[in-house]
């Protein structure tokens, strides 16, 4: 974010004729104003006023100018905007993006997410142990990453899930057996191989 920086000489010229007690009061007011402007409450209120839920992105595409401005501002604005956007996000499809690292242990509020496609990346570690927050999820594609460990039983609790692709990972238990969670019989498509 670009900050407005006035030359010191100009600031001196502006405040030169203000008595010191009044300057101290101005400093306190500016400090309080800064705290208000950088609060999560102000960030959420400004987002509610400036953007309607219909204007928020529903499909993962190139970020808008507004999104870029929000995500390059102060961290509190970034967090509030992410929460507002993620609640409405319906499809997150990012194959071949060289995403790496572990999946987060806790999920942000992705209650509208119907499609999660992160195939052909470099993601590692276990699949999220608790996926129950993804209540609208219909399609999950984590194909061709470096995921390890057991397939979490919480996948079986996703009642809307119809399409699951986990091949080309290393998802097995300690005995090198692939154990599928119960309740996956409702899946229309399940891609599995001996070596996930």
């Amino acid at each position: 974010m670009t900050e407005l920086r006035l030359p010191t000489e100009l600031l001196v010229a502006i405040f030169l004729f203000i008595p010191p007690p009044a300057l101290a009061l101005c400093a306190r007011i500016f400090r309080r104003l800064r705290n208000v402007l950088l609060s999560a409450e102000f960030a959420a209120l400004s987002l509610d006023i400036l953007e309607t839920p219909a204007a928020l992105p529903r499909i993962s595409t190139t970020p808008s100018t507004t999104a870029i401005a929000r995500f390059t501002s102060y961290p509190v604005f970034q967090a509030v905007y992410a929460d507002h956007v993620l609640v409405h996000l319906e499809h997150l499809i990012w194959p071949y993006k060289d995403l790496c690292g572990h999946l987060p242990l806790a999920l942000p509020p992705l209650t509208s997410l119907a499609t999660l496609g992160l195939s052909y990346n470099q993601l590692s570690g276990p699949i999220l142990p608790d996926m129950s927050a993804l209540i609208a999820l219909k399609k999950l594609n984590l194909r061709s990453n470096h995921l390890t460990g057991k397939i979490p039983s919480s996948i079986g609790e996703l009642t809307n899930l119809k399409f699951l692709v986990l091949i080309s990972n290393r998802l097995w238990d300690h005995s090198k057996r692939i154990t599928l969670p119960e309740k996956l019989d409702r899946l229309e498509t399940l891609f599995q191989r001996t070596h996930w």
Side-chain angles (χ1 to χ4, degrees):
M1 183 172 98
T2 306
E3 292 187 17
L4 178 63
R5 294 193 178 273
L6 296 175
T8 306
E9 296 81 17
L10 181 59
L11 290 173
V12 168
I14 292 170
F15 293 107
L16 185 62
F17 300 103
I18 300 176
L23 279 176
L25 179 62
C26 286
R28 283 197 299 275
I29 291 171
F30 287 140
R31 252 193 313 276
R32 287 185 184 155
L33 182 60
R34 184 179 190 277
N35 291 340
V36 168
L37 294 178
L38 297 182
S39 69
E41 294 81 11
F42 180 82
L45 183 61
S46 73
L47 185 62
D48 287 342
I49 291 170
L50 297 175
E51 298 182 50
T52 62
L56 296 173
R58 293 187 174 273
I59 297 178
S60 174
T61 56
T62 305
S64 66
T65 307
T66 304
I68 292 169
R70 293 278 178 180
F71 279 115
T72 55
S73 62
Y74 289 103
V76 69
F77 278 81
Q78 295 173 19
V80 168
Y81 184 68
D83 283 348
H84 277 66
V85 169
L86 294 176
V87 166
H88 300 285
L89 190 66
E90 293 177 355
H91 306 283
L92 178 57
I93 305 169
W94 280 356
Y96 300 102
K97 297 289 185 189
D98 290 324
L99 300 175
C100 59
H102 285 47
L103 292 170
L105 293 177
L107 283 175
L110 297 167
T111 52
S112 298
L113 191 68
T115 306
L116 177 59
L118 300 173
S119 58
Y120 299 100
N121 281 294
Q122 308 296 320
L123 298 171
S124 59
I127 298 178
L128 306 166
D130 183 11
M131 302 184 75
S132 58
L134 302 175
I135 56 175
L137 194 65
K138 294 178 183 175
K139 297 179 181 180
L140 175 62
N141 186 351
L142 299 175
R143 174 185 190 145
S144 297
N145 279 286
H146 303 292
L147 299 170
T148 57
K150 291 171 55 174
I151 300 170
S153 59
S154 60
I155 286 181
E157 303 298 324
L158 300 174
T159 56
N160 291 311
L161 190 66
K162 302 291 181 202
F163 181 91
L164 176 64
V165 182
L166 298 173
I167 58 176
S168 300
N169 284 292
R170 295 186 177 160
L171 298 171
W172 50 65
D173 60 19
H174 297 296
S175 61
K176 300 268 183 175
R177 288 185 323 180
I178 298 171
T179 307
L180 293 175
E182 294 181 19
K183 302 179 184 176
L184 287 181
D185 53 340
R186 71 181 168 281
L187 290 178
E188 294 170 4
T189 307
L190 170 64
F191 288 98
Q192 69 179 79
R193 290 183 186 162
T194 309
H195 298 290
W196 288 52

